[in-house]
Amino acid sequence: MTTADTTPPLRIGLLGTGPWARNTQAPALAAHPGVELSGVWGRRAEAAETLAAAHGTRAYTGEQGIDALLQASDAVAFALPPDVQAPLAVRAAQAGCHLLMDKPVATTVAGARAVAEAAEKASVASVVFCTLRFAPETSAWIAEQAAVDGWFTARAQWLGSLYAAGSDSEYADSPWRRERGGLWDVGPHALSVLIPVLGDVEHLTAAAGPADTTHLILRHTSGASSTVTLGLSAPPGAAGVEIELRGERGTASIPGWAGAETAFRGAVDALAEAVRTQVPHPCDARFGLHLTELLAAAEEQAQAAG
């Protein structure tokens, strides 16, 4: 005879109503057996009401709505532009809510640092959703490669065609993505794979490529080096994701993964575990700050060289 699990669900509120919230976060939170979707906040009342109704929860809007949702929640998930996310994450931490943030945490080091410091001061758990660290297939691969010594070099390419001619992606309407490009949008994903396997970045060189493409050369604390190509404007035939490691045991290539919703459920599980154990997750707000520091340095170099 087994004892029923009496652990109360983690009440998670969702801030944001755009495509990412609609397609990934709201469905994942609503379907998670250990979560109660405590509400949806949006800057547009109609969008918040539509998304909340689709998942059987309450809609919030306006400044008072933010406070009300924080009060009704143990944690909050963010589906907002990074520089809108950052101050609201500080506010949520100060209200005692755990944080499930999108990457990048912010596009300024000061903004990301404020989040990390607020989370630490409030003793709340935090997770930054870097997809490959939470998708079951890729997270297992990363852990396997991190346990292997002797990596010599790595090559990562993450090229999207969001802004290619003829693209009809709804994510192309995101002003911050268009302004900051692939470096900030997909750079966190690539770095979140390379750092746990090869070690932290001790030297970085960046240069601009065509359109929004950025090239990075990284030297890691393990002694290995890596090259990274990031962009959102590649022709459709050139788009794709590849991460390959080369070392004493040969080569290893990252596998495919099932999709963003499955990975997001993994991030929810990681946050719940961090809340339960009070052990910080490796992809926490402090790691999000470090990614922002690296991306800001790369952006500065690429602009200076260009």
Side-chain angles (χ1 to χ4, degrees), residues 31-279:
H32 196 292
V35 167
E36 175 191 334
L37 179 56
S38 51
V40 174
W41 177 87
R43 289 174 283 187
R44 294 184 298 111
E46 182 180 354
E49 289 165 2
T50 299
L51 187 57
H55 297 285
T57 190
R58 182 178 173 183
Y60 296 83
T61 192
E63 284 295 308
Q64 291 183 335
I66 295 173
D67 293 329
L69 180 56
L70 296 179
Q71 188 173 10
S73 305
D74 304 309
V76 284
F78 295 85
L80 295 167
D83 294 325
V84 176
Q85 168 180 250
L88 288 179
V90 170
R91 187 168 165 181
Q94 291 171 342
C97 289
H98 307 290
L99 308 174
L100 180 48
M101 294 173 286
D102 203 7
K103 54 73 214 162
V105 170
T107 62
T108 67
V109 173
R113 181 176 293 114
V115 175
E117 290 177 350
E120 187 173 348
K121 184 176 181 180
S123 298
V124 297
S126 59
V127 164
V128 179
F129 181 48
C130 295
T131 304
L132 303 186
R133 293 291 289 272
F134 299 101
E137 305 88 344
T138 52
S139 62
W141 182 87
I142 292 166
E144 180 183 351
Q145 308 318 317
V148 175
D149 293 326
W151 293 119
F152 183 69
T153 191
R155 175 182 59 85
Q157 286 196 144
W158 196 303
L159 292 171
S161 56
L162 203 63
Y163 300 122
S167 171
D168 59 357
S169 171
E170 56 186 339
Y171 295 102
D173 293 332
S174 167
W176 81 266
R177 282 188 176 88
R178 186 173 291 278
E179 179 185 354
R180 308 311 286 256
L183 174 67
W184 286 93
D185 187 29
V186 297
H189 293 311
L191 290 170
S192 76
V193 174
L194 296 172
I195 289 173
V197 176
L198 303 180
D200 201 1
V201 176
E202 61 180 17
H203 187 268
L204 177 153
T205 302
D212 74 311
T213 305
T214 303
H215 301 283
L216 307 179
I217 301 173
L218 310 176
R219 187 173 68 233
H220 298 265
T221 53
S222 66
S225 64
S226 63
T227 59
V228 185
T229 300
L230 308 162
L232 299 176
S233 303
V241 177
E242 297 178 5
I243 301 178
E244 180 188 72
L245 305 168
R246 290 178 174 267
E248 294 174 358
R249 302 191 184 189
T251 64
S253 297
I254 199 164
W257 60 97
E261 187 177 336
T262 299
F264 190 73
R265 286 198 297 268
V268 173
D269 291 338
L271 181 67
E273 181 72 3
V275 171
R276 185 184 68 81
T277 63
Q278 298 185 17
V279 176

Side-chain angles (χ1 to χ4, degrees), residues 206-208 300-306:
E300 183 177 1
Q301 277 199 32
Q303 289 177 346

